Every structure is written in structure tokens, then in C-alpha cells.
Amino acid sequence: MVSLKLQKRLAAAVLNCGQRKIWLDPNETNEIHVANSRQNIRKLVQDGYIIKKPNVIHSRSRVNTRLAAKRKGRHSGRGKRRGTRDARFPSQVIWMRRMRVLRRLLRRYREASKIDRH
């Protein structure tokens, strides 16, 4: 078994990828071993003795199913909470919403003359 380290490095440089993406034909090791320049490597790529492997697929299916479950309200029990109750949903925000709703209601009542200013 001959060492093809140089050829793999040159092929990675020629094909603009990492060395893990290079496939060297195991049946043509002697042919590849002779190649010691970028020009020779280009010729081997053209002949099909050296191939750039496709990208490995990194599936998001598990993430998507988990997000769908989270939208339904799963995975948010006591054990999953890191922040305090106030940090997760500030009481000030609740107060502001409540006041705005009430003030809107009062404004509508005043306009409909159900109540007056006093």
C-alpha cells in the first residue's frame, strides 16, 4: 500500500475542498501515486480517478418535529425553565396590557356616554 498523502492534499487544493471530501480510486493507486504535480492531479480528476465527494446531508427533521411539539406547548415544564417567572414574562408587561385594556374600555364607555368624566 503506497502513501497518497501528497496526492490527496494536492487534489483538495485543486478541487477547493477539504481532504476528507477527496476520493481516490483504490483500483488505480499506482496511477495516482505517479502524479506529483497539480497538472497531473487535474488530469486524474478529468479521467475520474479522483472525485470530490458530495456534501454530507445534515437533516433538520428531528429539530422540526421538536419545534412543532414546542409550538403545541410541550417541553416547557418546570424542569426546562431557567429564568425566574418575572424574567420569562415580566409582571410589568402584564400590568401594562391590563391597564391599556381597561383604559380603552373606559374611553369607549365615555364616547358612548355610558359614563362621564366624574
Side-chain angles (χ1 to χ4, degrees), residues 12-24:
V14 167
L15 295 172
N16 293 327
C17 63
Q19 291 179 33
R20 69 192 291 266
K21 286 274 179 270
I22 298 297
W23 177 83
L24 305 174

Side-chain angles (χ1 to χ4, degrees), residues 28-92:
E28 305 293 334
T29 48
N30 294 329
E31 182 85 21
I32 295 169
H33 180 66
V34 175
N36 60 358
S37 67
R38 287 163 189 266
Q39 194 60 50
N40 291 352
I41 295 291
R42 283 194 198 96
K43 187 185 176 303
L44 291 174
V45 169
Q46 217 168 22
D47 295 344
Y49 297 154
I50 298 176
I51 297 173
K52 180 180 177 180
K53 288 187 207 165
N55 287 340
V56 177
I57 294 167
H58 187 180
S59 174
R60 282 191 58 83
S61 66
R62 284 193 279 315
V63 176
N64 291 337
T65 53
R66 191 167 176 85
L67 282 174
K70 283 198 89 157
R71 271 186 233 113
K72 286 182 176 178
R74 316 292 192 263
H75 313 292
S76 60
R78 288 271 168 87
K80 291 287 178 186
R81 298 178 196 174
R82 296 295 293 273
T84 60
R85 184 200 299 168
D86 213 38
R88 287 169 66 85
F89 195 61
S91 54
Q92 184 183 4

